[in-house]
Every structure is written in C-alpha cells, then in structure tokens.
Amino acid sequence: MFRISMRRPVQALAVSLLAMSLGSATLHAAEPDDVVAKVGDGEITEAELAFAAQDAGQELQRFPPAQWRQLLLDAMIDMELMAQAARQEGLDKDPDFQRQLDFLELQALRNAYLAQKIGGTISDEDVQAAYDAQFADFEGAEELHARHILVKEKAEAEALVAELDGGADFAELAREKSTGPSGPNGGDLGFFKKGQMVKPFEEAALALEPGSYTKEPVETQFGWHVIKLEETRREEKPALEQVGDSLRQQIFRDRYEARMAELKDATPVEIIEVEPAQPAEDGEKTE
C-alpha cells in the first residue's frame, strides 16, 4: 500500500526554495522553468529543485536552512550526471527501467490528482463548516482547580486539618509543610479533568464544594493529602486554529474515500489470480 500524500503545487515550492537562498546577491521571483544550472547538454530548473525538496523531506532538517538550496543543487547536479551516463549506456531502453518509469508516472499522476482534485478543493469555508458542525453542541468536561498538601503520616495530615480549622492559610501551609512538587507553589495543581488524578484523590476532590477542604485526610500511594477545591469550570471548546488542520485532514479523507468509491463503481476491476510456483520434488530436476 502506498502512502497518500498531498503535494503543494510546484510554483509554491519554487517560491519557498527562493527563501532558502537568502543571502544571495540578487533576489528575484523564481519561476518553475527558470534554469539554475547547466550540466553538459542538460539543464536543471527551479521546478526540479522543488521536486528534490519534496523528495528530501525531513533529511533537509538535519542542516541549517541557509544550506538547503546548495545541498539540493549539488544533489541535482549529481543526479543529472548519473542520468546522462545511464542514457549513454542505453539503460533508458532497458525493459525493467521502462516498467519502473510507467510505475513512477502512475504514482505522480495519483499524487497530482490528490493534490489538485481532492486536497485543492477544500476551502477555508469547508473547514469552518466542519468546525461548526462538530462543535455545535459541544459541552466540555468538568475541570477542577485544586490545591493539596502532601505529607507522609496521617497524624501530620490531621494536624494540618486542625490548623486550617483554626484559620490557617492553605497555600502558606502547603509551602511550609507539603512534600509534593507543588508545595513551593502553594500546593496549586491547576485545572484537571476526571481520570487525570488517582482515584481516591479524585473522589475526594469531586465531593468538595468550591472553597472547602477535606476534613479527613485522603490516602494514596504517594502519602496523605489534605485537598482544597478552589473552583470548577467546563472545558472550553477548542479554537478553530487548534483543530483546523485535523479537520482539513478529515475532510480530505472523506472526499478521498467518496471519490474512490465513485471511481470503483464506474470502472470494472478484475483481479487475476496467479498460481504460485510449485516447489520441485526431491531429486526432480528443474529448468
């Protein structure tokens, strides 16, 4: 199975490649057919550099951006030299090469169709509509904002409850007494959702009213806790900017699947079974 990839138009890539050459003496708007190097009778264009950039992918990230253009150009020059040598040796007439060329054309046409006829049809309005539909009735999960004081022994925790009953400040006590990593911050755990805390802690926090604290210490595998619930709220729905890319990908997948279904309905497909070669019997000669 070959990976589905959405390719940007080569013109956009050629322009992005121009950014790689910052520091050049002269900057001009690059066009896909602009010649950037001549190798014997062959020429290398901005479009070919763009395709080389696509092919390089994450490999370019290993180098400083200022080097990208020269790296791509060097690679294309090497490729052109080898291709010319291959033609001189007649490798371009080899049947296996022709079969590979047919496959590469098939793959390139598939990618062009995906980019232009599926990915290229997805507008910002489509993404906005998908967002509106998905989050129309969004009701976020309940989030709790709590503090806690963590100590090793139950008696220590009970003594802390007594101090709180006497009017001590919870955050100050946490800074002085808590052994947990949140102690220096007044025991503040920020907001958390159901399932993010160990069960005894979560159950005790859920049973509190905002502003109240546990009158009985809560035991977990970490020790003994005194917990104060500061406030509760509902999780806000994510902004379009946060989920826009994933929505666009989902639209792409949906349209891809729908288009593939249409093409399969309209086009006969016959799977031709090929009998596997039978292993030779012991002592039997094979030709």
Side-chain angles (χ1 to χ4, degrees):
M1 182 64 67
F2 295 98
R3 181 178 58 189
I4 296 173
S5 60
M6 291 185 289
R7 304 285 191 175
R8 287 186 294 164
V10 69
Q11 291 89 340
L13 276 167
V15 171
S16 71
L17 279 168
L18 182 62
M20 299 177 195
S21 64
L22 291 177
S24 299
T26 303
L27 294 180
H28 60 280
E31 294 295 332
D33 292 330
D34 286 351
V35 176
V36 297
K38 294 184 177 182
V39 182
D41 295 331
E43 294 179 339
I44 299 171
T45 65
E46 285 284 356
E48 289 171 318
L49 278 187
F51 287 125
Q54 286 181 311
D55 193 55
Q58 294 299 315
E59 287 296 311
L60 282 177
Q61 304 301 319
R62 297 167 48 201
F63 303 94
Q67 297 180 14
W68 289 355
R69 185 178 180 88
Q70 188 60 50
L71 288 168
L72 292 169
L73 187 56
D74 290 344
M76 283 302 304
I77 290 171
D78 290 353
M79 191 181 299
E80 180 65 31
L81 288 167
M82 292 293 287
Q84 290 181 19
R87 290 190 187 96
Q88 290 170 6
E89 296 288 337
L91 296 182
D92 56 326
K93 308 301 184 190
D94 183 81
D96 283 342
F97 172 76
Q98 291 296 326
R99 294 185 190 99
Q100 184 181 23
L101 202 59
D102 290 342
F103 170 76
L104 292 174
E105 180 183 18
L106 185 72
Q107 189 179 55
L109 282 169
R110 185 276 310 269
N111 289 341
Y113 192 92
L114 289 173
Q116 297 178 33
K117 300 301 182 181
I118 298 181
T121 67
I122 303 172
S123 66
D124 291 342
E125 289 75 19
D126 293 330
V127 177
Q128 180 68 59
Y131 174 82
D132 292 340
Q134 183 166 329
F135 295 100
D137 300 317
F138 180 83
E139 183 176 342
E142 184 181 29
E143 295 183 317
L144 308 178
H145 177 198
R147 296 178 184 269
H148 79 136
I149 307 171
L150 175 64
V151 292
K152 290 184 178 181
E153 303 295 336
K154 183 179 182 181
E156 294 178 83
E158 290 173 336
L160 291 169
V161 172
E163 288 190 61
L164 291 169
D165 289 342
D169 181 77
F170 194 99
E172 285 299 323
L173 274 183
R175 277 189 279 268
E176 293 174 12
K177 307 287 188 179
S178 183
T179 62
S182 65
N185 197 33
D188 195 348
L189 296 170
F191 281 94
F192 57 89
K193 292 190 282 251
K194 193 172 181 180
Q196 291 184 299
M197 296 294 182
V198 293
K199 195 171 183 64
F201 188 102
E202 179 184 280
E203 290 176 346
L206 285 169
L208 293 171
E209 293 294 327
S212 65
Y213 53 88
T214 51
K215 298 296 186 178
E216 292 293 330
V218 178
E219 185 182 17
T220 71
Q221 65 265 43
F222 304 107
W224 291 87
H225 306 257
V226 180
I227 305 167
K228 180 182 180 183
L229 181 64
E230 294 285 359
E231 58 181 315
T232 63
R233 70 180 184 188
R234 286 286 175 183
E235 178 187 17
E236 294 182 359
K237 70 179 180 181
L240 176 60
E241 292 74 18
Q242 293 176 277
V243 296
D245 286 345
S246 62
L247 288 171
R248 189 176 293 271
Q249 290 169 9
Q250 184 59 55
I251 297 169
F252 179 90
R253 287 192 292 269
D254 291 344
R255 292 189 182 181
Y256 168 79
E257 292 171 1
R259 185 58 181 140
M260 284 305 305
E262 292 172 355
L263 291 171
K264 287 178 180 179
D265 286 343
T267 308
V269 176
E270 179 184 2
I271 306 297
I272 301 172
E273 298 290 343
V274 178
E275 290 293 331
Q278 296 297 320
E281 297 291 337
D282 289 346
E284 183 180 340
K285 289 181 64 177
T286 59
E287 296 184 1

